[in-house]
Amino acid sequence: MPLNSLPPWPPSLPSSAHLQHLQTLAVTHALAHGFTHLPANPSDPPTHATAAPLSLFPSPFPRHLFELATEIQTVYNALYARIALDWGFLDRVMGGVAKVDSFQGELWRGWKAVREELVQPLQLGIFRSDYLLHSLSSLAPLELKQVEFNTISSSFGALSQKASETHRYLAKETDMFFDSSPYLSTFDNYPLNDALTSIAQGLAEGWAAYGRKDAVVLFVVQDGERNVFDQWALQYELMERHGIKTVRHTFSELDNLVQFDRNSKRIYLPDPLADLVQPREVAVIYYRSAYTPTDYPGPGEWSTRLLLERSRAIKCPSMALQLAGAKKVQQVLTEPGVLEDFLLSPDRPDVGFGKGAGAFTQEDVDNIRKTWIGLWPMDNSEAGQEGYRLAMTQSSRFVLKPQREGGGNNIYRSDIPQELKRLEQQQHQQQQYGARDVMPREAYILMELITPPDGVGNWLVRGGDNKARKADVVSELGVFGVALFGPEGVVNREAGFLMRTKGRESDEGGVAIGISSIDSPVLVDVV
């Protein structure tokens, strides 16, 4: 019988002893299968790890909305591929942002400085489109609404696959788990998650397209990274399944290590274990950093980024594709006709991946648009003035988003008017020094808050804790996508999923910053 809302959750267990036993099984399985991260201030090399944050039960998610999210991922892949190839569009969008956001400005200006020199026509995208369930009342149907689209460092693919495997293990191992809810008692409700294998396959396809069998994949990583096992799992998969070697370096290390052949534009890195061995050519550069200003503490890191961008290696992502993931692009896409132009215009590059020019349909457009919530610019346009009025008079409905990734940067509800007033004071001070065309609030977009359904809870197990915490929760579904593209599409597919679950009291949702737990969906039928 279809439901008109999510079922009460989590399922009841007979006793606290049963809960403790279930937690022991879950954490033991997680530790045994690499569902781990490093503790704070780890040793080098590391000597121990802790289980990553995990939900004890999978969380209910409407089957038809899960299927919608996975089905439209290839359309989203093609959309953002076309954005990355449209230099004029990126210039129009980012030109205004660059005046008021130094990080995005540096990225955009750097890309403009090197883009005429680029020799590699292929780009590799490992994307993740993040969604929340939305319902304005208990009588309104549940909807799928996009939080953001990630084009760089789309993490937790490996750990999300392992979380799904842990929940399936608990269902197989324990009758109390399997029988605690009718939704848990059939494996048809547990969608298979191949995020680890699919993302690694995408990196392997980029490596194969480069065409040098002795080349390696470079992981560009952050100093002090705790989420290393999510990354190492990809590296192990590349070696064990595809026979591809990988190397890991930070920007600061690359500044001293990269060897650039100015004639061929190929880049090489020395073998860290054998000084006399021929340096290894890099086929694919996979960024698990480079998305936040702290990744560029000085000009050396920016110089290294531009050097890598000029190289023949396939970038994941290119600077253009990173710019395409800006929050401002997300907002501009909602303006009348913009999405239609990218998906329906016959003049767009054929990155439809088996769908020739014109093969995207109005249904594709409608399916994408139905996942969007209200978005407004914060400029001086008519829409921007309306956004400013809403932000000042109805702030409880909104979040103010800067052009940043990684969590912890947004401004919510009652804090918005105060922040806008601060930005106005900043604008006034800048105008006194002659900066007449600068409006600091243009660095932000205004987004209508998504309203997840009430009445859903779960048991959350923090890494290192010995007791699960029961909480009212909100779950965010992320769908991964892989795209290898240039003037024509080569690869385009959905690539597994990630579910992150957090306590309802928290606005932010990062696993890496200690707020969310990694989860998996159990599919339920709703109307």
Side-chain angles (χ1 to χ4, degrees):
M1 179 69 66
L3 305 166
N4 57 16
S5 64
L6 295 176
W9 210 257
S12 297
L13 293 173
S15 69
S16 59
H18 288 84
L19 175 65
Q20 182 62 43
H21 180 61
L22 198 61
Q23 179 180 336
T24 298
L25 290 175
V27 173
T28 302
H29 187 274
L31 288 169
H33 291 81
F35 185 83
T36 52
H37 63 186
L38 289 177
N41 304 312
S43 60
D44 185 19
T47 57
H48 64 286
T50 60
L54 176 70
S55 68
L56 198 53
F57 288 93
S59 292
F61 202 89
R63 188 185 308 274
H64 72 289
L65 295 181
F66 179 86
E67 292 172 349
L68 172 65
T70 55
E71 287 168 3
I72 64 175
Q73 184 60 39
T74 54
V75 184
Y76 264 120
N77 293 348
L79 170 63
Y80 276 83
R82 288 179 171 179
I83 291 170
L85 294 169
D86 191 333
W87 293 4
F89 175 81
L90 287 176
D91 284 347
R92 288 193 299 275
V93 173
M94 300 311 299
V97 173
K99 297 178 183 178
V100 290
D101 188 305
S102 59
F103 174 69
Q104 292 289 339
E106 191 77 25
L107 186 67
W108 175 64
R109 287 186 291 269
W111 170 63
K112 285 182 64 180
V114 302
R115 66 191 185 189
E116 297 293 347
E117 306 172 37
L118 302 183
V119 295
Q120 177 54 258
L122 291 175
Q123 301 181 49
L124 178 61
I126 294 176
F127 303 132
R128 197 184 69 228
S129 186
D130 292 337
Y131 304 95
L132 288 170
L133 296 176
H134 176 67
S135 180
L136 293 177
S137 74
S138 60
L139 299 178
L142 291 171
E143 299 176 277
L144 186 76
K145 294 299 181 183
Q146 188 183 62
V147 179
E148 62 185 358
F149 192 90
N150 301 276
T151 63
I152 184 169
S153 190
S154 301
S155 59
F156 296 111
L159 294 193
S160 66
Q161 180 171 320
K162 293 175 186 293
S164 294
E165 291 166 355
T166 294
H167 287 144
R168 292 177 72 89
Y169 157 76
L170 292 174
K172 293 175 182 178
E173 179 70 24
T174 70
D175 291 338
M176 65 176 171
F177 188 98
F178 196 71
D179 296 336
S180 62
S181 165
Y183 306 106
L184 297 176
S185 61
T186 171
F187 283 103
D188 288 343
N189 295 337
Y190 297 74
L192 292 174
N193 189 359
D194 64 349
L196 166 59
T197 52
S198 285
I199 292 171
Q201 175 70 27
L203 291 168
E205 287 161 335
W207 175 87
Y210 188 78
R212 307 277 280 208
K213 292 185 177 180
D214 57 345
V216 300
V217 174
L218 167 63
F219 282 52
V220 184
V221 299
Q222 292 177 321
D223 292 300
E225 175 66 73
R226 296 181 63 196
N227 188 33
V228 295
F229 300 109
D230 183 61
Q231 300 169 8
W232 275 107
L234 289 170
Q235 294 179 251
Y236 300 145
E237 183 79 5
L238 284 169
M239 171 54 71
E240 293 165 6
R241 190 179 294 265
H242 304 284
I244 299 171
K245 294 181 179 180
T246 59
V247 292
R248 297 168 60 86
H249 287 295
T250 64
F251 265 142
S252 57
E253 292 169 340
L254 289 170
D255 188 31
N256 297 315
L257 293 176
V258 168
Q259 301 171 24
F260 182 75
D261 186 314
R262 296 188 179 278
N263 292 322
S264 68
K265 301 295 181 70
R266 301 184 187 277
I267 56 172
Y268 301 85
L269 288 168
D271 188 326
L273 299 180
D275 292 339
L276 299 180
V277 173
Q278 182 76 16
R280 296 178 291 187
E281 185 173 347
V282 175
V284 175
I285 302 169
Y286 175 43
Y287 288 101
R288 291 296 290 259
S289 65
Y291 57 82
T292 180
T294 56
D295 291 331
Y296 303 84
E301 286 76 15
W302 281 112
S303 296
T304 299
R305 180 70 189 273
L306 294 180
L307 180 69
L308 297 178
E309 193 73 12
R310 288 188 180 98
S311 77
R312 191 172 295 277
I314 295 172
K315 273 69 68 176
C316 180
S318 67
M319 294 176 80
L321 195 52
Q322 183 175 347
L323 288 166
K327 302 296 187 295
K328 182 62 178 176
V329 170
Q330 183 184 4
Q331 177 266 308
V332 171
L333 282 172
T334 67
E335 295 176 356
V338 176
L339 177 63
E340 287 79 359
D341 179 44
F342 274 108
L343 288 184
L344 302 182
S345 172
D347 298 327
R348 290 290 171 184
D350 184 14
V351 290
F353 312 100
K355 291 186 172 184
F360 289 111
T361 66
Q362 186 62 46
E363 183 180 7
D364 293 319
V365 171
D366 294 342
N367 283 336
I368 293 292
R369 281 200 178 275
K370 71 170 62 171
T371 66
W372 291 346
I373 200 86
L375 291 165
W376 288 264
M378 284 281 98
D379 55 23
N380 206 31
S381 66
E382 183 176 342
Q385 293 179 42
E386 174 66 8
Y388 178 80
R389 184 190 68 78
L390 290 170
M392 294 299 289
T393 61
Q394 302 179 39
S395 62
S396 62
R397 294 175 49 207
F398 297 102
V399 54
L400 198 61
K401 289 189 168 186
Q403 313 300 314
R404 291 290 179 273
E405 304 296 336
N409 300 296
N410 298 329
I411 300 157
Y412 291 88
R413 302 181 183 88
S414 59
D415 292 334
I416 294 174
Q418 181 179 352
E419 176 64 15
L420 289 176
K421 289 177 182 177
R422 186 190 69 80
L423 293 173
E424 288 170 5
Q425 292 175 349
Q426 181 180 333
Q427 178 180 349
H428 179 69
Q429 292 170 354
Q430 291 172 334
Q431 288 176 340
Q432 289 180 323
Y433 292 95
R436 299 294 179 185
D437 62 341
V438 173
M439 184 180 288
R441 74 181 193 224
E442 286 189 62
Y444 297 79
I445 65 166
L446 186 71
M447 183 175 186
E448 187 178 355
L449 283 169
I450 302 169
T451 306
D454 293 322
V456 181
N458 210 325
W459 291 94
L460 306 180
V461 184
R462 299 281 187 178
D465 288 355
N466 61 7
K467 187 176 181 180
R469 176 178 69 95
K470 190 176 184 180
D472 292 330
V473 298
V474 172
S475 296
E476 183 173 315
L477 175 70
V479 180
F480 292 102
V482 170
L484 180 64
F485 64 94
E488 296 182 357
V490 179
V491 174
N492 179 19
R493 65 172 177 275
E494 175 261 325
F497 55 85
L498 162 69
M499 180 166 277
R500 290 168 294 178
T501 293
K502 64 182 180 181
R504 182 175 286 274
E505 72 279 359
S506 174
D507 282 320
E508 297 292 350
V511 174
I513 59 177
I515 295 172
S516 291
S517 295
I518 302 179
D519 197 351
S520 70
V522 57
L523 302 183
V524 300
D525 294 308
V526 302
V527 293

